[in-house]
Amino acid sequence: MFNHPAGPKTVFFYAPFAKWTLVIAGIGDMYRPAEKLSVKQSSALCLTGFIWSRYCLVITPRVWVLFAVNMLTGCTGLAQLGRIANYRYYVLPGLEAENAKEANVATQLAIEAAPAAASPAAVVKSA
């Protein structure tokens, strides 16, 4: 094990352990609100994860642990992009529609609550 081509004497052994921090950070972002997520950061995680996953299968020796961590990095980035798209295209328009309805109701209530003397019909009647 110690003298293996992908053993502890090589970078192939330590790179996956360092990259697990990216996966853990991506999973930790699942608890952040979707409106605070970055499209650029999630895209970078997604693309680099999937590109380097392919690279891990081409190099010799094949490092399956590095492939797994890169694949999970890509998947966490893809999951975050899905959350961002869901928020922007489904949740946010619904929130804007609710806010517009509430604004219309508030405007109607304000118009109804206005004193009758201030209305143009009351001015015409008094003249």
Side-chain angles (χ1 to χ4, degrees):
M1 171 85 176
F2 190 71
N3 291 324
H4 188 270
K9 291 183 177 180
T10 67
V11 70
F12 301 116
F13 182 77
Y14 295 102
F17 293 114
K19 287 197 86 165
W20 278 112
T21 58
L22 293 175
V23 175
I24 292 168
I27 292 171
D29 282 346
M30 292 290 187
Y31 298 106
R32 291 180 69 193
E35 65 267 12
K36 297 198 181 228
L37 295 175
S38 168
V39 174
K40 290 180 181 180
Q41 178 183 345
S42 298
S43 298
L45 280 176
C46 181
L47 289 174
T48 57
F50 290 136
I51 289 169
W52 287 106
S53 293
R54 172 69 180 125
Y55 174 75
C56 291
L57 298 178
V58 176
I59 61 173
T60 303
R62 286 191 180 151
V63 184
W64 293 102
V65 176
L66 188 57
F67 170 76
V69 73
N70 282 318
M71 186 60 77
L72 285 173
T73 301
C75 288
T76 55
L78 190 63
Q80 298 299 353
L81 287 173
R83 288 184 61 218
I84 293 168
N86 181 49
Y87 177 76
R88 289 189 179 175
Y89 296 112
Y90 295 106
V91 175
L92 190 59
L95 290 175
E96 289 173 350
E98 282 182 27
N99 290 341
K101 284 181 187 176
E102 290 174 5
N104 285 339
V105 168
T107 303
Q108 290 297 328
L109 290 175
I111 290 171
E112 291 172 3
S119 70
V123 173
V124 172
K125 288 181 184 176
S126 65

